[in-house]
Each structure stands twice: as structure tokens, then as C-alpha cells.
Amino acid sequence: MPTFPGRIESRLPRVGTTIFTVMSRLAAECGALNLSQGFPDFSAPPQLFDLVARHMHAGANQYAPMAGVMPLREAIAAKIETLYGAHYDPEHEITVTAGGTQAIFTAVACVVRPGDEVIVFEPVYDSYVPSIELNGGIVVRTQLRFPDYRPDWAQVRALVTPRTRMIMINTPHNPSGSVWSAQDMAQLADIVRGTDIVIAADEVYEHILFDGARHESCARHAELAQRSFVISSFGKTYHVTGWKVGYVAAPRALMEEFRKAHQFIVFTVNTPVQLALAEWLRDASRYLELAAFYQTKRDAFRAGLAASRFALLPCAGTYFQLASYAAISDEPDTQLAERLTRQIGVASIPVSVFYDPPQQNRVLRFCFAKNDDTLLRACERLARL
Ligand code: GLN
């Protein structure tokens, strides 16, 4: 009888450990200020924790309905309607997920068949490509143009074939901090019109746009909304990335397929947190004030780096700031990110890893979802370079 070889042939042969884990681990090892992985180093308001505890003590500790607790789905639908003027039926068109990453994976899993093509925009968030490949899809890459990270719509149009099954979009964009305009959404709509292409729209930074810019949700665009999974996350919005709760809104026919996969990927998300978030969502100021809150941090971080030799790229949204180090070093960004973590005690994310093959623009990503003191200390260290 043949024996088990002791290893399996990898389904993801070129994938290592995600850069976010690698850099956060290195930051912890070195005692560095961690501006790499995107999460706040400050706390959410304790009243939110009290709400979760209250629901736990009240006995809400068994499985939630597969699609999420109804009060949360209703609150999500109400928010989308108020902000984007789109009506999603909470019964059939909203599903609560274990964060944005699971929502993205599940959207791909329920749509993409082996051999189907999926268009992504580089620099591409690192979970998208493995989600496509694990489902047998073929990744087709277009680039957001350096240094403003605008989409090249002529290039996107040229990449569409009869096998294109999905386009994955992300605005506000991680890692670049760029934001799509209404014209961009119109271009996208024009390209997919008359096709059966589905859009997976990662909008987890929907509330973090600066200088008065408006978030162009796929939900806002009636024609795109018909074919879109609109994905968001409470982690970014309420400073609780570790809770891993997000959601998807999609028209009923799409959502039916999504739920078929969702129920066997996670089944459902933890109950007390969902109930607490349903109450928390009722106060719209909590998400409406987020843009101003992070704009202050962005401005403080940029002001702190103004005296450095980094060249700051525009940051229109998200809590990430890109900085070019072309005037500082010739090193590849992965090497510099490691060296800065070890030697000056500031961890960042090298942007080349979001390209295949890696594209070396000599840019690092810094997360400014940090206490003012953390940002100040990081700027002091970075300004010495
Ligand atoms: N979204 C976070 C970031 O961009 C990382 C989340 C994760 O580590 N999976 O930094």
C-alpha cells in the first residue's frame, strides 16, 4: 500500500505568510512602533464592550441565524439606504460575515468556476489572489498607475474577455489610499454593461474619506448594484478589527448563491457582538464622524513627516499613508521595511508585495490609525533617516 508522503502538493505554491502577520510579528519581536498592519492601537468606547457583555449575560450565546441577527441586518439596510439611497431587503439581501476577508472569499467561491477569469487591480490586497486561485479562477491583473494610483480604464476594457466572470474593486483603496470618483464608477458600468460579469466591491473603508470626498459605493450606482456584492466591515469603522465582523449586501439572486456557500464556510457569526453592533449602528454620528477623526490623524502624520526625506503620496481615504523613500535609499522596499523595524523601531508595509511580479516603486505604507503619541514618536524616528 502506498504510504502518505508526509506532505501535500500545495494549492498555493507561491504563497507564504501574509505580509501583515510577518511585519506585525517582526514589530513585536523588535519592540518597534507598529505602523504596518492596519489596526488601531487605541480602544473603542467601553460602552460598546458593555453592550456585548449585556447580551452575553442576557443569554444571547447560541447560534445566530445563518445570515445574521435580524436587528443587525435591519440596521445595515437602513444605513445603506440613508447613505447611498439603495434599498436592500434585510431578509434576503444582507448577510453578516466573519469580516471583510471572509465575505470576499465567499463572494469569489460562489461565483468563480475553474478557468473563469477575474480582474484585479494592482497593488492588490493580498487575500484576493489566493481567494481566486483556491477556487480555480485565473487572475488577470491591471495596474493602478503609479504614483496617483488611478485606474487605466482602457487597459481594463482590453482585459475583458468572454471568460471574465468577476471584477474585484476596492475603494477607498488599500494600500494606496486612493479613492474612485463617480466617473470611475461610470467607466466600470460602461465596461460591464451587456456582460454577465459580477462585481465584488470591497468597501471596508467606506467611512474614511478625506477633504469632503464622497464615497462612491456600488450600492449608490443602480446599474452596478444589480451585479455587485458590496462588502464592508465593522472592524475598521468601530476600532474593533479583532472582532472580525463584516457584511455583504447584494441583490436577492446573488445573495441566494452567496448564502449557499456562506453556510458551509462559517455558518454564522458570533451572536452577542452582532446584537451589540445592531444597537451601536443606530447612532449615525459614530460612523459619520470617522472621516474627520482620521483626517486629523492623517494631517498630523503628514505634518510630522514633512521634515523627513520621505515624499508623501496623496492620501484621499483609508488609514494608510504611502511614502516614497527614493531620496533615502536604493534598497528594495521589503529590505528597507525590515531594516527600519529592526534599526529605528518603526514597522511599515512594503508595497511591492501587492504586485506579481513585484513592482519596485520604492514606497512604504504606514498605518496612521494610532494614538497621537505613537504617531509623533514614529515621525521623530523616520525624520532622522
Ligand atoms: N486589512 C489590514 C491591513 O491592510 C490587515 C488585515 C490582516 O492582517 N488580514 O493592514
Side-chain angles (χ1 to χ4, degrees), residues 227-264:
R227 57 171 84 228
S228 297
F229 290 102
V230 178
I231 295 159
S232 193
S233 152
F234 295 109
K236 323 293 182 212
T237 303
Y238 294 139
H239 315 309
V240 286
T241 61
W243 287 8
K244 294 299 298 174
V245 183
Y247 60 87
V248 183
R252 184 169 178 168
L254 270 62
M255 189 55 87
E256 270 174 19
E257 292 305 313
F258 184 95
R259 288 181 183 175
K260 286 184 197 174
H262 175 79
Q263 65 188 337
F264 298 123

Side-chain angles (χ1 to χ4, degrees), residues 41-191:
D41 71 345
F42 46 85
S43 176
Q47 296 90 309
L48 177 57
F49 311 146
D50 293 342
L51 278 180
V52 177
R54 212 186 70 217
H55 286 292
M56 280 187 172
H57 287 295
N61 299 300
Q62 308 310 328
Y63 296 125
M66 184 269 280
V69 302
M70 197 38 107
L72 182 55
R73 283 190 268 157
E74 282 166 356
I76 293 166
K79 184 190 84 163
I80 296 176
E81 184 136 22
T82 310
L83 290 181
Y84 308 128
H87 178 72
Y88 288 89
D89 169 11
E91 177 66 31
H92 302 291
E93 300 184 319
I94 306 274
T95 299
V96 179
T97 61
T101 304
Q102 183 245 310
I104 290 162
F105 182 88
T106 305
V108 174
C110 73
V111 170
V112 175
R113 291 175 171 75
D116 283 350
E117 293 176 1
V118 180
I119 297 178
V120 300
F121 293 78
E122 290 185 323
V124 58
Y125 186 68
D126 75 344
S127 85
Y128 298 4
V129 167
S131 298
I132 298 163
E133 290 180 342
L134 281 173
N135 288 292
I138 294 167
V139 179
V140 176
R141 299 155 191 276
T142 175
Q143 273 84 37
L144 298 170
R145 276 184 313 240
F146 182 77
D148 59 1
Y149 296 95
R150 303 303 316 157
D152 177 341
W153 289 113
Q155 192 185 72
V156 178
R157 190 180 291 276
L159 291 173
V160 171
T161 77
R163 288 184 304 279
T164 308
R165 191 75 194 95
M166 178 179 260
I167 300 181
M168 299 177 78
I169 69 170
N170 173 214
T171 181
H173 182 254
N174 179 9
S176 75
S178 62
V179 159
W180 283 9
S181 64
Q183 287 86 333
D184 289 318
M185 302 311 277
Q187 290 273 5
L188 178 64
D190 199 50
I191 288 172

Side-chain angles (χ1 to χ4, degrees), residues 70 118 148 162 166 169 191 214 217 292 300 315 325 329 353 379:
M70 197 38 107
V118 180
D148 59 1
M166 178 179 260
I169 69 170
I191 288 172
R214 186 177 97 150
S217 176
C315 172
Y325 61 88
S329 169
V353 305
C379 288

